[in-house]
Amino acid sequence: QVQLAESGGGLVQAGGSLRLSCAAPGRTISHYAMGWFRQTPGKERECVAAIAWGNSNTYYANSVKGRFTISRDNAKNMVFLQMNSLKPEDTAVYYCAADSMLGTGPTIRASEYDYWGQGTQVTVSS
């Protein structure tokens, strides 16, 4: 069992930045593909960024390319999502997820992730 805990959400004005963190205390996440998803009421959970376990290949949704950056610090068992140039449409609950399958690339589908955090709210005001 991997417990994930997100932090760093909050209220920010459009154009601002936030850095989300995902911690996996006591667990080594170097062998997990990691992802950041977001969800708004009535919509499916969307993968905004993902990073592979071995080669650090990354995936970004078109809506966040050039604005968001996913990174991982395996020594600290943490994953980050740097969000710049935030827009009101980025408002959502953001979730961190871990995939234990040792695939070759980042995992994009929510159904393939084994573990999820509780989520952190990000609100971008216009």
Side-chain angles (χ1 to χ4, degrees), residues 57-121:
N57 283 351
T58 55
Y59 160 84
Y60 295 97
N62 287 335
S63 57
V64 307
K65 267 182 194 172
R67 300 188 298 121
F68 290 11
T69 302
I70 187 171
S71 61
R72 61 192 304 159
D73 185 336
N74 289 334
K76 295 182 179 178
N77 295 323
M78 294 191 72
V79 179
F80 306 97
L81 185 68
Q82 178 66 43
M83 305 187 295
N84 299 328
S85 302
L86 282 162
K87 304 175 181 179
E89 51 262 45
D90 294 319
T91 295
V93 177
Y94 283 72
Y95 298 90
C96 173
D99 171 19
S100 61
M101 287 294 285
L102 299 180
T104 57
T107 305
I108 301 171
R109 293 186 212 169
S111 59
E112 295 181 11
Y113 281 87
D114 305 296
Y115 306 103
W116 293 85
Q118 294 298 309
T120 184
Q121 176 71 44

Short mmCIF file of all heavy atoms in Angstrom, two decimals, residues 57-121:
data_model
loop_
_atom_site.label_atom_id
_atom_site.label_comp_id
_atom_site.label_asym_id
_atom_site.label_seq_id
_atom_site.Cartn_x
_atom_site.Cartn_y
_atom_site.Cartn_z
N ASN A 57 10.67 9.95 -18.76
CA ASN A 57 9.87 10.50 -19.86
C ASN A 57 8.60 11.10 -19.29
O ASN A 57 8.04 10.60 -18.33
CB ASN A 57 9.53 9.40 -20.86
CG ASN A 57 10.70 9.06 -21.75
OD1 ASN A 57 11.72 9.75 -21.74
ND2 ASN A 57 10.57 8.00 -22.52
N THR A 58 8.15 12.17 -19.92
CA THR A 58 6.99 12.87 -19.40
C THR A 58 5.88 12.99 -20.44
O THR A 58 6.11 12.86 -21.64
CB THR A 58 7.36 14.29 -18.93
OG1 THR A 58 8.00 14.98 -20.01
CG2 THR A 58 8.30 14.24 -17.73
N TYR A 59 4.69 13.22 -19.92
CA TYR A 59 3.51 13.47 -20.75
C TYR A 59 2.82 14.72 -20.19
O TYR A 59 2.77 14.90 -18.96
CB TYR A 59 2.54 12.30 -20.68
CG TYR A 59 1.13 12.68 -21.10
CD1 TYR A 59 0.76 12.69 -22.43
CD2 TYR A 59 0.19 13.07 -20.14
CE1 TYR A 59 -0.52 13.07 -22.81
CE2 TYR A 59 -1.09 13.45 -20.51
CZ TYR A 59 -1.43 13.44 -21.85
OH TYR A 59 -2.69 13.81 -22.21
N TYR A 60 2.30 15.55 -21.08
CA TYR A 60 1.51 16.70 -20.67
C TYR A 60 0.26 16.78 -21.53
O TYR A 60 0.32 16.59 -22.75
CB TYR A 60 2.30 18.00 -20.82
CG TYR A 60 3.50 18.10 -19.90
CD1 TYR A 60 4.77 17.76 -20.34
CD2 TYR A 60 3.34 18.50 -18.58
CE1 TYR A 60 5.87 17.82 -19.49
CE2 TYR A 60 4.43 18.57 -17.72
CZ TYR A 60 5.68 18.22 -18.19
OH TYR A 60 6.76 18.28 -17.34
N ALA A 61 -0.85 17.09 -20.91
CA ALA A 61 -2.06 17.37 -21.66
C ALA A 61 -1.83 18.64 -22.47
O ALA A 61 -1.09 19.55 -22.06
CB ALA A 61 -3.23 17.56 -20.70
N ASN A 62 -2.46 18.70 -23.63
CA ASN A 62 -2.27 19.87 -24.50
C ASN A 62 -2.63 21.16 -23.78
O ASN A 62 -2.02 22.20 -24.02
CB ASN A 62 -3.12 19.72 -25.75
CG ASN A 62 -2.55 18.68 -26.70
OD1 ASN A 62 -1.35 18.40 -26.69
ND2 ASN A 62 -3.40 18.10 -27.53
N SER A 63 -3.61 21.08 -22.90
CA SER A 63 -4.09 22.28 -22.24
C SER A 63 -3.07 22.88 -21.27
O SER A 63 -3.21 24.05 -20.86
CB SER A 63 -5.38 21.98 -21.48
OG SER A 63 -5.19 20.92 -20.56
N VAL A 64 -2.05 22.11 -20.88
CA VAL A 64 -1.09 22.61 -19.90
C VAL A 64 0.34 22.66 -20.44
O VAL A 64 1.25 23.12 -19.75
CB VAL A 64 -1.11 21.78 -18.59
CG1 VAL A 64 -2.54 21.69 -18.05
CG2 VAL A 64 -0.52 20.39 -18.80
N LYS A 65 0.54 22.18 -21.66
CA LYS A 65 1.89 22.16 -22.23
C LYS A 65 2.49 23.56 -22.24
O LYS A 65 1.84 24.53 -22.63
CB LYS A 65 1.84 21.62 -23.66
CG LYS A 65 2.08 20.14 -23.77
CD LYS A 65 2.05 19.69 -25.22
CE LYS A 65 1.96 18.19 -25.29
NZ LYS A 65 1.74 17.71 -26.66
N GLY A 66 3.74 23.64 -21.81
CA GLY A 66 4.43 24.92 -21.77
C GLY A 66 4.16 25.72 -20.51
O GLY A 66 4.83 26.73 -20.27
N ARG A 67 3.19 25.28 -19.70
CA ARG A 67 2.86 25.99 -18.46
C ARG A 67 3.14 25.15 -17.22
O ARG A 67 3.52 25.70 -16.18
CB ARG A 67 1.39 26.40 -18.47
CG ARG A 67 1.01 27.32 -19.62
CD ARG A 67 -0.42 27.84 -19.47
NE ARG A 67 -1.43 26.79 -19.47
CZ ARG A 67 -2.27 26.57 -18.47
NH1 ARG A 67 -2.25 27.33 -17.37
NH2 ARG A 67 -3.17 25.60 -18.55
N PHE A 68 2.92 23.84 -17.31
CA PHE A 68 3.10 22.94 -16.17
C PHE A 68 4.35 22.10 -16.39
O PHE A 68 4.69 21.74 -17.52
CB PHE A 68 1.92 22.00 -16.02
CG PHE A 68 0.64 22.65 -15.57
CD1 PHE A 68 0.47 24.03 -15.53
CD2 PHE A 68 -0.43 21.85 -15.16
CE1 PHE A 68 -0.71 24.61 -15.12
CE2 PHE A 68 -1.62 22.41 -14.74
CZ PHE A 68 -1.76 23.80 -14.72
N THR A 69 5.01 21.77 -15.29
CA THR A 69 6.18 20.90 -15.33
C THR A 69 6.10 19.88 -14.20
O THR A 69 5.94 20.27 -13.03
CB THR A 69 7.48 21.70 -15.18
OG1 THR A 69 7.57 22.68 -16.22
CG2 THR A 69 8.69 20.77 -15.30
N ILE A 70 6.18 18.62 -14.57
CA ILE A 70 6.21 17.56 -13.57
C ILE A 70 7.65 17.14 -13.34
O ILE A 70 8.46 17.11 -14.27
CB ILE A 70 5.35 16.34 -14.02
CG1 ILE A 70 5.24 15.31 -12.89
CG2 ILE A 70 5.89 15.71 -15.29
CD1 ILE A 70 4.24 14.19 -13.17
N SER A 71 7.97 16.87 -12.09
CA SER A 71 9.31 16.41 -11.77
C SER A 71 9.23 15.47 -10.57
O SER A 71 8.22 15.43 -9.87
CB SER A 71 10.24 17.59 -11.46
OG SER A 71 9.77 18.33 -10.35
N ARG A 72 10.30 14.72 -10.38
CA ARG A 72 10.31 13.81 -9.25
C ARG A 72 11.67 13.86 -8.56
O ARG A 72 12.68 14.09 -9.19
CB ARG A 72 9.99 12.37 -9.70
CG ARG A 72 10.96 11.77 -10.69
CD ARG A 72 10.41 10.48 -11.30
NE ARG A 72 10.06 9.51 -10.28
CZ ARG A 72 9.22 8.50 -10.46
NH1 ARG A 72 8.63 8.34 -11.63
NH2 ARG A 72 8.96 7.67 -9.49
N ASP A 73 11.64 13.64 -7.26
CA ASP A 73 12.86 13.54 -6.47
C ASP A 73 12.78 12.20 -5.75
O ASP A 73 12.17 12.08 -4.69
CB ASP A 73 12.94 14.70 -5.47
CG ASP A 73 14.26 14.72 -4.70
OD1 ASP A 73 14.89 13.65 -4.58
OD2 ASP A 73 14.63 15.78 -4.20
N ASN A 74 13.37 11.20 -6.37
CA ASN A 74 13.27 9.85 -5.82
C ASN A 74 13.94 9.73 -4.46
O ASN A 74 13.51 8.93 -3.62
CB ASN A 74 13.85 8.83 -6.78
CG ASN A 74 12.99 8.64 -8.02
OD1 ASN A 74 11.78 8.88 -7.98
ND2 ASN A 74 13.61 8.25 -9.12
N ALA A 75 14.97 10.50 -4.24
CA ALA A 75 15.66 10.44 -2.94
C ALA A 75 14.75 10.89 -1.80
O ALA A 75 14.85 10.40 -0.67
CB ALA A 75 16.92 11.29 -2.97
N LYS A 76 13.84 11.82 -2.12
CA LYS A 76 12.92 12.33 -1.10
C LYS A 76 11.54 11.70 -1.22
O LYS A 76 10.64 12.04 -0.44
CB LYS A 76 12.80 13.84 -1.21
CG LYS A 76 14.09 14.58 -0.91
CD LYS A 76 13.88 16.08 -1.00
CE LYS A 76 15.17 16.83 -0.67
NZ LYS A 76 15.02 18.30 -0.78
N ASN A 77 11.38 10.79 -2.18
CA ASN A 77 10.07 10.14 -2.40
C ASN A 77 8.97 11.18 -2.63
O ASN A 77 7.90 11.12 -2.01
CB ASN A 77 9.70 9.24 -1.22
CG ASN A 77 10.64 8.07 -1.10
OD1 ASN A 77 11.08 7.51 -2.10
ND2 ASN A 77 10.98 7.70 0.12
N MET A 78 9.27 12.11 -3.53
CA MET A 78 8.31 13.18 -3.79
C MET A 78 8.18 13.45 -5.29
O MET A 78 9.11 13.21 -6.06
CB MET A 78 8.73 14.47 -3.08
CG MET A 78 8.68 14.35 -1.57
SD MET A 78 8.85 15.93 -0.74
CE MET A 78 7.27 16.68 -1.10
N VAL A 79 7.03 13.92 -5.65
CA VAL A 79 6.75 14.33 -7.02
C VAL A 79 6.16 15.74 -6.95
O VAL A 79 5.43 16.06 -6.01
CB VAL A 79 5.76 13.37 -7.71
CG1 VAL A 79 5.46 13.82 -9.12
CG2 VAL A 79 6.32 11.96 -7.72
N PHE A 80 6.47 16.53 -7.96
CA PHE A 80 6.04 17.93 -7.95
C PHE A 80 5.32 18.27 -9.24
O PHE A 80 5.56 17.66 -10.29
CB PHE A 80 7.26 18.84 -7.79
CG PHE A 80 8.09 18.51 -6.58
CD1 PHE A 80 9.23 17.73 -6.72
CD2 PHE A 80 7.75 18.97 -5.33
CE1 PHE A 80 10.01 17.41 -5.62
CE2 PHE A 80 8.52 18.65 -4.22
CZ PHE A 80 9.65 17.87 -4.37
N LEU A 81 4.47 19.27 -9.16
CA LEU A 81 3.85 19.83 -10.35
C LEU A 81 3.97 21.35 -10.23
O LEU A 81 3.29 21.97 -9.42
CB LEU A 81 2.39 19.42 -10.48
CG LEU A 81 1.72 19.88 -11.77
CD1 LEU A 81 2.31 19.16 -12.98
CD2 LEU A 81 0.20 19.64 -11.72
N GLN A 82 4.86 21.91 -11.03
CA GLN A 82 5.00 23.35 -11.09
C GLN A 82 4.01 23.88 -12.11
O GLN A 82 4.03 23.48 -13.27
CB GLN A 82 6.42 23.74 -11.50
CG GLN A 82 6.66 25.23 -11.62
CD GLN A 82 6.55 25.95 -10.29
OE1 GLN A 82 7.07 25.48 -9.29
NE2 GLN A 82 5.89 27.10 -10.29
N MET A 83 3.14 24.78 -11.66
CA MET A 83 2.08 25.31 -12.51
C MET A 83 2.28 26.81 -12.65
O MET A 83 2.20 27.55 -11.66
CB MET A 83 0.72 25.01 -11.90
CG MET A 83 0.49 23.53 -11.62
SD MET A 83 -1.19 23.15 -11.10
CE MET A 83 -1.26 24.03 -9.55
N ASN A 84 2.56 27.24 -13.86
CA ASN A 84 2.76 28.65 -14.16
C ASN A 84 1.68 29.16 -15.09
O ASN A 84 0.97 28.37 -15.72
CB ASN A 84 4.13 28.86 -14.80
CG ASN A 84 5.28 28.45 -13.91
OD1 ASN A 84 5.21 28.56 -12.69
ND2 ASN A 84 6.37 27.98 -14.51
N SER A 85 1.56 30.46 -15.17
CA SER A 85 0.58 31.10 -16.05
C SER A 85 -0.80 30.48 -15.87
O SER A 85 -1.47 30.12 -16.85
CB SER A 85 1.03 30.99 -17.52
OG SER A 85 2.30 31.57 -17.70
N LEU A 86 -1.21 30.36 -14.65
CA LEU A 86 -2.47 29.68 -14.36
C LEU A 86 -3.66 30.44 -14.93
O LEU A 86 -3.67 31.68 -14.98
CB LEU A 86 -2.62 29.49 -12.85
CG LEU A 86 -1.78 28.33 -12.29
CD1 LEU A 86 -1.61 28.46 -10.79
CD2 LEU A 86 -2.43 27.00 -12.64
N LYS A 87 -4.66 29.67 -15.34
CA LYS A 87 -5.87 30.20 -15.92
C LYS A 87 -7.07 29.77 -15.08
O LYS A 87 -7.00 28.74 -14.40
CB LYS A 87 -6.04 29.67 -17.35
CG LYS A 87 -4.86 29.94 -18.26
CD LYS A 87 -5.06 29.26 -19.62
CE LYS A 87 -3.88 29.50 -20.54
NZ LYS A 87 -4.06 28.84 -21.85
N PRO A 88 -8.16 30.51 -15.15
CA PRO A 88 -9.36 30.08 -14.39
C PRO A 88 -9.79 28.66 -14.73
O PRO A 88 -10.29 27.94 -13.85
CB PRO A 88 -10.41 31.11 -14.82
CG PRO A 88 -9.61 32.34 -15.13
CD PRO A 88 -8.33 31.83 -15.75
N GLU A 89 -9.59 28.23 -15.97
CA GLU A 89 -9.97 26.86 -16.35
C GLU A 89 -9.08 25.80 -15.74
O GLU A 89 -9.37 24.61 -15.86
CB GLU A 89 -10.02 26.71 -17.88
CG GLU A 89 -8.77 27.18 -18.58
CD GLU A 89 -8.92 28.60 -19.13
OE1 GLU A 89 -9.43 29.48 -18.39
OE2 GLU A 89 -8.49 28.82 -20.28
N ASP A 90 -8.01 26.19 -15.08
CA ASP A 90 -7.18 25.22 -14.35
C ASP A 90 -7.77 24.90 -12.97
O ASP A 90 -7.26 24.01 -12.27
CB ASP A 90 -5.76 25.76 -14.17
CG ASP A 90 -5.01 25.91 -15.48
OD1 ASP A 90 -5.12 25.01 -16.33
OD2 ASP A 90 -4.32 26.94 -15.64
N THR A 91 -8.81 25.61 -12.59
CA THR A 91 -9.45 25.37 -11.30
C THR A 91 -9.99 23.95 -11.24
O THR A 91 -10.74 23.52 -12.11
CB THR A 91 -10.60 26.37 -11.08
OG1 THR A 91 -10.05 27.69 -11.00
CG2 THR A 91 -11.36 26.05 -9.80
N ALA A 92 -9.58 23.21 -10.22
CA ALA A 92 -9.98 21.81 -10.07
C ALA A 92 -9.38 21.26 -8.79
O ALA A 92 -8.57 21.93 -8.13
CB ALA A 92 -9.47 20.97 -11.26
N VAL A 93 -9.80 20.06 -8.45
CA VAL A 93 -9.09 19.30 -7.41
C VAL A 93 -7.99 18.51 -8.13
O VAL A 93 -8.27 17.82 -9.11
CB VAL A 93 -10.02 18.36 -6.65
CG1 VAL A 93 -9.23 17.54 -5.63
CG2 VAL A 93 -11.13 19.15 -5.96
N TYR A 94 -6.79 18.62 -7.64
CA TYR A 94 -5.64 17.96 -8.24
C TYR A 94 -5.24 16.76 -7.39
O TYR A 94 -5.12 16.87 -6.17
CB TYR A 94 -4.47 18.94 -8.38
CG TYR A 94 -4.64 19.88 -9.54
CD1 TYR A 94 -5.59 20.91 -9.47
CD2 TYR A 94 -3.89 19.76 -10.69
CE1 TYR A 94 -5.78 21.78 -10.54
CE2 TYR A 94 -4.06 20.63 -11.76
CZ TYR A 94 -5.01 21.63 -11.68
OH TYR A 94 -5.18 22.49 -12.75
N TYR A 95 -5.03 15.64 -8.08
CA TYR A 95 -4.68 14.40 -7.42
C TYR A 95 -3.33 13.89 -7.91
O TYR A 95 -3.02 13.97 -9.09
CB TYR A 95 -5.72 13.31 -7.73
CG TYR A 95 -7.11 13.62 -7.24
CD1 TYR A 95 -8.02 14.29 -8.04
CD2 TYR A 95 -7.52 13.22 -5.97
CE1 TYR A 95 -9.30 14.56 -7.61
CE2 TYR A 95 -8.80 13.47 -5.53
CZ TYR A 95 -9.69 14.16 -6.35
OH TYR A 95 -10.96 14.42 -5.91
N CYS A 96 -2.60 13.31 -6.99
CA CYS A 96 -1.37 12.61 -7.31
C CYS A 96 -1.68 11.12 -7.34
O CYS A 96 -2.52 10.63 -6.57
CB CYS A 96 -0.35 12.92 -6.21
SG CYS A 96 1.19 12.00 -6.30
N ALA A 97 -1.02 10.40 -8.25
CA ALA A 97 -1.28 8.97 -8.38
C ALA A 97 0.01 8.22 -8.69
O ALA A 97 0.94 8.79 -9.28
CB ALA A 97 -2.31 8.72 -9.48
N ALA A 98 0.03 6.95 -8.29
CA ALA A 98 1.20 6.09 -8.50
C ALA A 98 0.78 4.80 -9.22
O ALA A 98 -0.22 4.18 -8.85
CB ALA A 98 1.85 5.76 -7.16
N ASP A 99 1.58 4.44 -10.19
CA ASP A 99 1.33 3.22 -10.99
C ASP A 99 2.49 2.27 -10.77
O ASP A 99 3.64 2.61 -11.07
CB ASP A 99 1.21 3.60 -12.46
CG ASP A 99 1.17 2.39 -13.37
OD1 ASP A 99 0.89 1.27 -12.90
OD2 ASP A 99 1.44 2.56 -14.58
N SER A 100 2.20 1.06 -10.28
CA SER A 100 3.27 0.12 -9.92
C SER A 100 3.77 -0.72 -11.10
O SER A 100 4.77 -1.42 -10.97
CB SER A 100 2.79 -0.81 -8.81
OG SER A 100 1.66 -1.55 -9.25
N MET A 101 3.07 -0.66 -12.24
CA MET A 101 3.53 -1.42 -13.39
C MET A 101 4.79 -0.78 -13.96
O MET A 101 4.85 0.42 -14.16
CB MET A 101 2.44 -1.46 -14.46
CG MET A 101 1.28 -2.35 -14.10
SD MET A 101 1.75 -4.08 -14.03
CE MET A 101 1.89 -4.45 -15.75
N LEU A 102 5.78 -1.60 -14.25
CA LEU A 102 7.06 -1.08 -14.74
C LEU A 102 7.02 -0.94 -16.25
O LEU A 102 7.72 -1.65 -16.98
CB LEU A 102 8.20 -1.99 -14.28
CG LEU A 102 8.36 -2.12 -12.78
CD1 LEU A 102 9.53 -3.04 -12.44
CD2 LEU A 102 8.56 -0.75 -12.15
N GLY A 103 6.19 -0.02 -16.71
CA GLY A 103 6.11 0.24 -18.14
C GLY A 103 7.27 1.09 -18.62
O GLY A 103 8.10 1.54 -17.84
N THR A 104 7.30 1.32 -19.92
CA THR A 104 8.42 2.05 -20.50
C THR A 104 8.16 3.55 -20.61
O THR A 104 9.08 4.32 -20.84
CB THR A 104 8.75 1.51 -21.90
OG1 THR A 104 7.57 1.60 -22.70
CG2 THR A 104 9.22 0.07 -21.82
N GLY A 105 6.91 3.93 -20.46
CA GLY A 105 6.60 5.34 -20.60
C GLY A 105 5.69 5.83 -19.51
O GLY A 105 5.34 5.07 -18.60
N PRO A 106 5.33 7.10 -19.56
CA PRO A 106 4.41 7.62 -18.55
C PRO A 106 3.02 7.01 -18.69
O PRO A 106 2.62 6.63 -19.79
CB PRO A 106 4.38 9.13 -18.84
CG PRO A 106 4.82 9.26 -20.25
CD PRO A 106 5.74 8.14 -20.51
N THR A 107 2.32 6.89 -17.59
CA THR A 107 0.98 6.33 -17.57
C THR A 107 -0.02 7.46 -17.65
O THR A 107 0.05 8.42 -16.88
CB THR A 107 0.76 5.52 -16.28
OG1 THR A 107 1.79 4.54 -16.18
CG2 THR A 107 -0.59 4.84 -16.30
N ILE A 108 -0.97 7.33 -18.57
CA ILE A 108 -1.90 8.43 -18.81
C ILE A 108 -3.31 8.10 -18.33
O ILE A 108 -4.04 8.98 -17.87
CB ILE A 108 -1.91 8.78 -20.31
CG1 ILE A 108 -0.51 9.18 -20.76
CG2 ILE A 108 -2.90 9.90 -20.59
CD1 ILE A 108 -0.37 9.34 -22.26
N ARG A 109 -3.70 6.85 -18.41
CA ARG A 109 -5.08 6.49 -18.05
C ARG A 109 -5.23 6.35 -16.54
O ARG A 109 -4.45 5.67 -15.88
CB ARG A 109 -5.45 5.16 -18.68
CG ARG A 109 -5.55 5.23 -20.18
CD ARG A 109 -6.08 3.91 -20.70
NE ARG A 109 -5.55 3.61 -22.00
CZ ARG A 109 -5.66 2.44 -22.61
NH1 ARG A 109 -6.29 1.46 -22.01
NH2 ARG A 109 -5.16 2.25 -23.79
N ALA A 110 -6.26 6.95 -16.02
CA ALA A 110 -6.52 6.89 -14.58
C ALA A 110 -6.72 5.46 -14.11
O ALA A 110 -6.30 5.10 -13.00
CB ALA A 110 -7.75 7.73 -14.23
N SER A 111 -7.33 4.62 -14.95
CA SER A 111 -7.63 3.24 -14.56
C SER A 111 -6.38 2.41 -14.34
O SER A 111 -6.44 1.34 -13.71
CB SER A 111 -8.51 2.57 -15.61
OG SER A 111 -7.85 2.57 -16.87
N GLU A 112 -5.25 2.86 -14.83
CA GLU A 112 -4.01 2.09 -14.70
C GLU A 112 -3.23 2.46 -13.44
O GLU A 112 -2.23 1.82 -13.14
CB GLU A 112 -3.14 2.30 -15.94
CG GLU A 112 -3.79 1.74 -17.20
CD GLU A 112 -2.93 1.94 -18.44
OE1 GLU A 112 -1.75 2.32 -18.30
OE2 GLU A 112 -3.44 1.71 -19.55
N TYR A 113 -3.69 3.43 -12.72
CA TYR A 113 -3.00 3.81 -11.49
C TYR A 113 -3.54 3.02 -10.31
O TYR A 113 -4.73 2.74 -10.21
CB TYR A 113 -3.16 5.31 -11.23
CG TYR A 113 -2.21 6.14 -12.06
CD1 TYR A 113 -2.55 6.55 -13.35
CD2 TYR A 113 -0.96 6.49 -11.56
CE1 TYR A 113 -1.66 7.29 -14.11
CE2 TYR A 113 -0.07 7.24 -12.32
CZ TYR A 113 -0.43 7.64 -13.60
OH TYR A 113 0.45 8.37 -14.35
N ASP A 114 -2.62 2.64 -9.43
CA ASP A 114 -2.97 1.80 -8.29
C ASP A 114 -3.28 2.60 -7.02
O ASP A 114 -4.06 2.16 -6.19
CB ASP A 114 -1.80 0.84 -7.97
CG ASP A 114 -1.40 0.03 -9.18
OD1 ASP A 114 -2.24 -0.78 -9.63
OD2 ASP A 114 -0.27 0.19 -9.67
N TYR A 115 -2.62 3.72 -6.86
CA TYR A 115 -2.74 4.47 -5.61
C TYR A 115 -3.01 5.94 -5.91
O TYR A 115 -2.46 6.51 -6.86
CB TYR A 115 -1.45 4.34 -4.79
CG TYR A 115 -1.04 2.91 -4.55
CD1 TYR A 115 -0.01 2.33 -5.28
CD2 TYR A 115 -1.72 2.13 -3.62
CE1 TYR A 115 0.36 1.01 -5.07
CE2 TYR A 115 -1.36 0.80 -3.41
CZ TYR A 115 -0.33 0.26 -4.14
OH TYR A 115 0.02 -1.05 -3.94
N TRP A 116 -3.83 6.55 -5.04
CA TRP A 116 -4.24 7.93 -5.21
C TRP A 116 -4.15 8.68 -3.91
O TRP A 116 -4.37 8.12 -2.82
CB TRP A 116 -5.70 7.99 -5.70
CG TRP A 116 -5.89 7.44 -7.06
CD1 TRP A 116 -6.08 6.13 -7.40
CD2 TRP A 116 -5.88 8.18 -8.28
NE1 TRP A 116 -6.19 6.02 -8.77
CE2 TRP A 116 -6.09 7.26 -9.34
CE3 TRP A 116 -5.73 9.53 -8.60
CZ2 TRP A 116 -6.14 7.64 -10.67
CZ3 TRP A 116 -5.80 9.92 -9.93
CH2 TRP A 116 -5.99 8.99 -10.95
N GLY A 117 -3.83 9.97 -4.03
CA GLY A 117 -3.91 10.83 -2.87
C GLY A 117 -5.33 11.34 -2.68
O GLY A 117 -6.23 11.01 -3.46
N GLN A 118 -5.52 12.16 -1.65
CA GLN A 118 -6.84 12.68 -1.33
C GLN A 118 -7.20 13.90 -2.15
O GLN A 118 -8.37 14.29 -2.21
CB GLN A 118 -6.91 13.04 0.16
CG GLN A 118 -6.81 11.82 1.06
CD GLN A 118 -7.95 10.86 0.84
OE1 GLN A 118 -9.12 11.25 0.87
NE2 GLN A 118 -7.63 9.59 0.61
N GLY A 119 -6.23 14.51 -2.78
CA GLY A 119 -6.49 15.67 -3.62
C GLY A 119 -6.25 16.99 -2.90
O GLY A 119 -6.35 17.08 -1.68
N THR A 120 -5.94 18.00 -3.70
CA THR A 120 -5.75 19.35 -3.17
C THR A 120 -6.44 20.32 -4.13
O THR A 120 -6.33 20.20 -5.34
CB THR A 120 -4.26 19.68 -3.00
OG1 THR A 120 -4.11 20.96 -2.39
CG2 THR A 120 -3.50 19.67 -4.32
N GLN A 121 -7.17 21.26 -3.56
CA GLN A 121 -7.95 22.19 -4.37
C GLN A 121 -7.07 23.31 -4.90
O GLN A 121 -6.30 23.93 -4.16
CB GLN A 121 -9.08 22.79 -3.53
CG GLN A 121 -9.90 23.86 -4.25
CD GLN A 121 -10.78 23.28 -5.33
OE1 GLN A 121 -11.45 22.26 -5.14
NE2 GLN A 121 -10.79 23.93 -6.50
#
